[in-house]
Amino acid sequence: MKNRNIVNLIAGTALVLGAGLASAAPFDKKEELQGISFHVTSPNKAAGNAVRIVPAGLQIDNSPIEMDITGIVTGAEVADINADRSPEIYIYVLEPGPEKLMSLVAFSANKKKSLSAINLPALSETKGADKGYCGNDDMAPVEGTFLRRFPICDKNKQPTGKTRQLQYKLKPGEAGWQLKLDKRMEY
């Protein structure tokens, strides 16, 4: 796995204080692929935070998308993991709390015309995937897949030295896109 593609929360810009997050530096990044660009910004406030995505280059709808989020934005990457020549934007959000839990905000450019949301299912929706989960996720699009990996912890929330890696493929869903589990590994 390429190190530049991994978001490492331990080295992230947020400070974890007790049960909440301190404000971090505002997030501002522009990503571009295949003639479509995404300008991602967030004030990264400790409470009442939002992320704003401004696409450009779409044929029909370049309307900005603004979403309230719980946590702060730590990174954003563009990829085309399903190789349909229409890129996706993946935005990583560090949730409040000492566990360093990560969530994902993601959108796909539908045939370069407009954006649709991408859903990453909760770990609890995959049998056994959340067993030993205690945060500290790494997420990244890598070589045609979306990877999520995290240390496996014991019942006392202490790392066991093992890591679980979940590999997803991007598939069309009813009203958007779905990241569907393709492989699960532990090492």
Side-chain angles (χ1 to χ4, degrees):
M1 184 176 325
K2 297 177 183 175
N3 285 338
R4 68 178 183 81
N5 286 339
I6 300 298
V7 174
N8 187 336
L9 293 180
I10 296 171
T13 60
L15 298 174
V16 179
L17 300 174
L21 290 173
S23 292
F27 186 86
D28 189 334
K29 187 173 184 183
K30 190 171 184 179
E31 290 281 327
E32 188 272 330
L33 184 64
Q34 300 162 331
I36 308 297
S37 67
F38 303 92
H39 188 190
V40 179
T41 58
S42 175
N44 271 348
K45 298 186 294 185
N49 200 22
V51 63
R52 181 177 172 89
I53 304 138
V54 181
L58 297 170
Q59 295 169 7
I60 295 176
D61 188 0
N62 287 289
S63 300
I65 296 171
E66 188 159 339
M67 299 175 62
D68 292 333
I69 56 172
T70 303
I72 59 169
V73 176
T74 62
E77 293 181 271
V78 67
D80 182 9
I81 66 173
N82 61 349
D84 67 352
R85 298 179 191 240
S86 291
E88 308 95 35
I89 184 74
Y90 298 92
I91 303 162
Y92 311 110
V93 178
L94 178 62
E95 297 180 1
E99 298 88 8
K100 298 181 183 173
L101 305 179
M102 174 81 85
S103 63
L104 179 72
V105 173
F107 290 88
S108 178
N110 300 308
K111 298 181 183 177
K112 295 187 178 182
K113 294 180 181 179
S114 63
L115 295 181
S116 289
I118 297 173
N119 177 55
L120 175 64
L123 289 175
S124 60
E125 293 180 29
T126 303
K127 185 177 180 179
D130 60 347
K131 184 177 181 186
Y133 177 71
C134 60
N136 293 297
D137 305 66
D138 288 329
M139 294 182 180
V142 178
E143 299 175 359
T145 63
F146 187 81
L147 297 182
R148 180 179 193 172
R149 68 179 180 183
F150 50 87
I152 300 172
C153 294
D154 63 20
K155 63 183 174 192
N156 297 318
K157 304 262 184 205
Q158 297 302 310
T160 63
K162 293 184 177 182
T163 299
R164 180 168 299 128
Q165 179 171 297
L166 305 171
Q167 181 175 306
Y168 299 88
K169 295 281 187 179
L170 185 61
K171 302 290 184 184
E174 278 186 43
W177 294 87
Q178 301 291 322
L179 287 165
K180 297 278 188 181
L181 186 65
D182 182 50
K183 293 182 184 173
R184 176 179 158 175
M185 299 184 292
E186 292 182 10
Y187 51 93

